[in-house]
C-alpha cells in the first residue's frame, strides 16, 4: 500500500519568509500526488496536483511543489508567507487501479505565520 | 448555495442517541464521500458512493450507516456511538469515483462530540 509522510506536524514562519512543508511518499509505481489546504472551520481545498506533465507544479495562492523521484518527495513551497496562509496542509497520494483510485492522506502540517 | 454543504456544523450526542449528518453538493458530481478527521491522524475514508451506489466501505462499524438517495445528497446515520467516535466528519464530492486525478471538493464538516 502507498503512503505519505509529512515531517513536522507544526511549522512556524515569519511573515515574508519562505514556506517549506515536507512530504515524502512511498510508491512502487508513478504516484499521483496532491496538496490540500484546510483553513479554520472549512473543508479541504485543492492547492495543486502532480500529473507527471511537469516536475514543478504551480498551484493557487503562490504555492508550488516539486516532484523529486530520486528523493520520493513532493515538498510544498511558497517564497513569501502571508498571514492568510495560516492553515493546515495535507499531502495525499492517489492509490488504486483504473476506476478504483482513492486518496491516502498524510497526517497534516499546521502552518503558523508570525507577524 | 454553492459547493458542498453540511449540516449540522456541530453536534453533541449521547451514546444512546440516534442522529443524522447531512451533506449536499451543488456541483453536479457523481461521486460522494464520507471521511473521518481525528486529531493527529490521517483522514480516514469511510464510504464512497458513485451514482448513488456504495462502492467502498472501509471496515466502518455498523453504528455508522450511510444513505445516498440521489447524487446530490448523502447522509450518515449515527446510533449508539462511542466517545472515540468524536471527530470532524467531512463530506466530499468529485466528478466521478475512482479516477487517479480526481479533485475532491470538501464541505466544512460536522464537529461531532459523543458524551
Amino acid at each position: 500500500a502507498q503512503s505519505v509522510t509529512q515531517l513536522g506536524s507544526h511549522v512556524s514562519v515569519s511573515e515574508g519568509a519562505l514556506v517549506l512543508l515536507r512530504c515524502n511518499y512511498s510508491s512502487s509505481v508513478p504516484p499521483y500526488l496532491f496538496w490540500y489546504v484546510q483553513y479554520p472551520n472549512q473543508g479541504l481545498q485543492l492547492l495543486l496536483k502532480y500529473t507527471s506533465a511537469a516536475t514543478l507544479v504551480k498551484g493557487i495562492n503562490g504555492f508550488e511543489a516539486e516532484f523529486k523521484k530520486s528523493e520520493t518527495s513532493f515538498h510544498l513551497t511558497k517564497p513569501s508567507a502571508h498571514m492568510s496562509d495560516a492553515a493546515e496542509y495535507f499531502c495525499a497520494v492517489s492509490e488504486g487501479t483504473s476506476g478504483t483510485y482513492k486518496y491516502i492522506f498524510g497526517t497534516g502540517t499546521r502552518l503558523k505565520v508570525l507577524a | 448555495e454553492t459547493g458542498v454543504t453540511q449540516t449540522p456544523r456541530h453536534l453533541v450526542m449521547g451514546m444512546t442517541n440516534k442522529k443524522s449528518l447531512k451533506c449536499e453538493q451543488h456541483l453536479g458530481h457523481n461521486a460522494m464521500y464520507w471521511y473521518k478527521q481525528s486529531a493527529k491522524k490521517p483522514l480516514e475514508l469511510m464510504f464512497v458512493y458513485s451514482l448513488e451506489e456504495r462502492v467502498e466501505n472501509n471496515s466502518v462499524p455498523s453504528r455508522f450507516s450511510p444513505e445516498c438517495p440521489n447524487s446530490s445528497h448523502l447522509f450518515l446515520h449515527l446510533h449508539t456511538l462511542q466517545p472515540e467516535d468524536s471527530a470532524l466528519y467531512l463530506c466530499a464530492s468529485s466528478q466521478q469515483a475512482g479516477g487517479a486525478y480526481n479533485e475532491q471538493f470538501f464541505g466544512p464538516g460536522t464537529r461531532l462530540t459523543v458524551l
Side-chain angles (χ1 to χ4, degrees), chain B residues 11-20 63 78-86 112-115:
Chain B
L11 178 63
V12 178
M13 59 186 290
M15 289 190 286
T16 58
N17 291 157
K18 291 184 179 181
K19 297 286 184 183
S20 296
R63 57 185 183 270
L78 317 170
H79 65 96
T80 59
L81 294 191
Q82 304 298 311
E84 59 264 29
D85 297 323
S86 299
L112 174 67
T113 303
V114 182
L115 301 176

Side-chain angles (χ1 to χ4, degrees), chain A residues 83-115:
Chain A
M83 298 298 289
S84 59
D85 294 326
E88 189 155 20
Y89 293 79
F90 294 91
C91 183
V93 63
S94 185
E95 174 188 68
T97 56
S98 179
T100 70
Y101 283 95
K102 59 184 180 182
Y103 284 154
I104 306 297
F105 284 92
T107 51
T109 297
R110 187 169 298 278
L111 176 66
K112 186 175 181 179
V113 182
L114 307 171

